[in-house]
Amino acid sequence: MRNALILTGNQADAEDLAQEVLLKAFRAIDQYRDGSNMMAWLMAILRNCRIDRLRAAGVRPRDVSLEQLELDPAAPPAAESSWQSPQEALAAFSDQQVIQALGALPEDIRWTLLLVDVQDWPQQDAAQLLGVPVGTIKSRLHRGRAMLREALLPLARQMRLAGGASPS
Amino acid sequence: MQQPDASNFDQQLEQATSQRLRRLAAMPVDTHGLEKRLRLQIPAPASRHHGWLGRLQAVAAALVVAGAVVAAIALWSGGPVQASAAHMAQVHRDIIENRVPVMKVDSIAQASRMLAANNPAALPQAPDTHVMACCMKDIKNKKVACVLLRSEDSPITLSVASAADMKLPRGKPVMHNGIAYHVEQIDNLHMVSAQRDGRWVCLIGQVSSQRLMAIASRLEF
């Protein structure tokens, strides 16, 4: 449910998604190999359900290619240096604010941050689930964290947790 | 020089962002709606018996299904638990009064080696304290590593678990050296708890909460 909430950003959609995942898991329990990683199995089901839902809704997930990650510049240094005390500033945001900011990120970057940063998966396991090389996971992590900070920066300025011009 | 400072700042930003995301793993979620929906969707198997035996079988089957649903949700949500001050006070007293088996150690490194097989959360170094003993505790099915320290001749229990497993208490935290601590008192014991570096950390002892926070802020992860 927590993972579904992080992916969808709202309770209603998260319940729909989590229900679908758990029902699929319940019906396919015979396919689960005893002793293997149940969380990884459930995550794989979650990923497939999520992709199906996005397709059905006619939404093409905003993916980002490795080339784009390399060419697309990170937030300008001036913006990054606006964070005065990063640890304290980022800790001050509520879970809902962070989830909302995650919603602005491309789907695959959101998945990478969910698996590695939130769920503390090894990068190798995240790479396997997402079907990409470990190098791509590393790039997405770095880029994703920067994009998240960029998304939170206007709010941080309003809360006086970061310097620079506050939005009117 | 500019570059080392810039690189250090970048690292701080990366770590702070990663840590903030890690906290989402312990975010409380409301699963009541989901549980209700699942119970409606997962039918109890039909009974071959009629009358009271059939009804009893249907109830038993429904309970098994409900149990499986709840277990699946618990696993899926990975529900963190809260270690109450009363519980941690009991853990502390049991350790210092030798009511539970502990392993005598004289360093964090030795404690880490002793607990490695069962401990999911690495132990931090605790400067300015003497390390005395260690053990693993099971708190509401979550593994917690406990280390008995001595600071200024007073025993203190340092408990460490994965941040995803443990909830912090409600209430406004106290800031100390940029870290948010939850401070509680039970009888003559003070307790401080916080999340640091992906871990739940708790210190409890007869010393003041200020002293506990000072020790906690010097823990090296």
Side-chain angles (χ1 to χ4, degrees):
Chain A
M1 181 66 194
R2 190 175 289 113
N3 296 320
L5 197 51
I6 289 168
L7 286 170
T8 61
N10 71 82
Q11 181 78 10
D13 288 348
E15 277 185 17
D16 283 345
L17 180 58
Q19 179 187 334
E20 187 181 340
V21 170
L22 288 171
L23 283 175
K24 281 203 167 150
F26 185 76
R27 286 169 190 145
I29 197 72
D30 292 340
Q31 295 170 29
Y32 169 68
R33 287 192 315 276
D34 208 14
S36 64
N37 187 338
M38 171 151 292
M39 273 309 294
W41 184 66
L42 285 171
M43 276 298 207
I45 298 175
L46 172 65
R47 177 132 173 99
N48 291 333
C49 288
R50 175 76 174 153
I51 291 171
D52 290 344
R53 282 183 163 254
L54 288 174
R55 276 196 196 129
V59 173
R60 193 176 178 285
R62 278 173 60 218
D63 290 345
V64 54
S65 68
L66 187 57
E67 290 74 24
Q68 238 175 314
L69 284 170
E70 284 163 356
L71 294 173
D72 200 5
E80 288 279 68
S81 64
S82 301
W83 294 94
Q84 286 148 1
S85 309
Q87 180 103 15
E88 233 173 87
L90 287 159
F93 292 109
S94 69
D95 292 335
Q96 196 46 48
Q97 285 166 334
V98 175
I99 289 174
Q100 208 168 340
L102 282 169
L105 275 50
E107 179 79 2
D108 277 353
I109 286 195
R110 204 175 327 145
W111 265 100
T112 305
L113 295 178
L114 169 63
L115 293 174
V116 179
D117 277 344
V118 179
Q119 294 297 344
D120 201 18
W121 277 33
Q123 291 183 12
Q124 179 63 45
D125 291 357
Q128 194 172 356
L129 180 70
L130 299 179
V132 295
V134 173
T136 304
I137 294 293
K138 289 183 199 290
S139 302
R140 285 182 184 172
L141 274 176
H142 181 67
R143 184 75 182 102
R145 290 167 186 161
M147 290 173 86
L148 180 66
R149 289 192 296 272
E150 213 176 313
L152 288 169
L153 191 54
L155 191 55
R157 283 178 175 148
Q158 273 183 18
M159 292 161 68
R160 299 192 193 284
L161 298 168
S166 217
S168 59
Chain B
M1 233 162 89
Q2 195 94 10
Q3 275 175 351
D5 287 343
S7 150
N8 190 32
F9 185 71
D10 284 347
Q11 211 175 358
Q12 277 183 35
L13 278 175
E14 284 285 286
Q15 270 177 9
T17 311
S18 177
Q19 279 169 16
R20 183 57 191 89
L21 285 165
R22 186 67 43 81
R23 270 174 50 191
L24 290 181
M27 170 179 68
V29 286
D30 177 5
T31 58
H32 290 105
L34 175 61
E35 259 182 82
K36 251 199 273 187
R37 290 162 74 160
L38 286 172
R39 283 176 211 273
L40 287 171
Q41 291 279 334
I42 299 176
S47 169
R48 284 174 293 170
H49 294 277
H50 299 286
W52 67 268
L53 186 57
R55 284 195 292 277
L56 187 63
Q57 280 192 330
V59 167
L63 283 172
V64 167
V65 165
V69 163
V70 169
I73 291 174
L75 174 68
W76 181 251
S77 297
V81 302
Q82 190 172 331
S84 66
H87 196 147
M88 295 314 295
Q90 192 59 55
V91 167
H92 174 70
R93 288 183 187 120
D94 285 345
I95 290 174
I96 63 174
E97 288 164 16
N98 290 318
R99 278 191 242 129
V100 293
V102 296
M103 291 175 275
K104 299 256 185 274
V105 292
D106 56 16
S107 69
I108 290 291
Q110 195 181 4
S112 297
R113 282 194 300 274
M114 297 289 210
L115 303 178
N118 291 308
N119 183 19
L123 296 172
Q125 290 294 331
D128 304 326
T129 61
H130 292 288
V131 180
M132 313 280 293
C134 67
C135 63
M136 287 301 298
K137 300 301 285 181
D138 192 325
I139 293 177
K140 296 178 186 172
N141 288 324
K142 303 294 183 186
K143 293 193 188 302
V144 179
C146 297
V147 181
L148 181 62
L149 307 171
R150 187 164 287 277
S151 173
E152 291 173 356
D153 284 331
S154 197
I156 294 168
T157 297
L158 164 67
S159 302
V160 181
S162 170
D165 285 342
M166 308 300 283
K167 275 192 282 201
L168 290 168
R170 291 177 188 276
K172 202 172 151 102
V174 172
M175 295 302 293
H176 180 91
N177 284 354
I179 300 165
Y181 293 99
H182 289 265
V183 179
E184 294 168 271
Q185 183 173 357
I186 180 153
D187 301 331
N188 62 342
L189 296 172
H190 289 101
M191 176 172 124
V192 301
S193 54
Q195 283 190 351
R196 288 194 61 196
D197 207 62
R199 276 156 274 193
W200 171 85
V201 171
C202 170
L203 285 154
I204 185 167
Q206 272 186 280
V207 298
S208 68
S209 52
Q210 280 298 119
R211 176 92 190 112
L212 291 175
M213 285 190 285
I215 294 171
S217 67
R218 287 201 295 275
L219 293 174
E220 291 165 9
F221 292 88

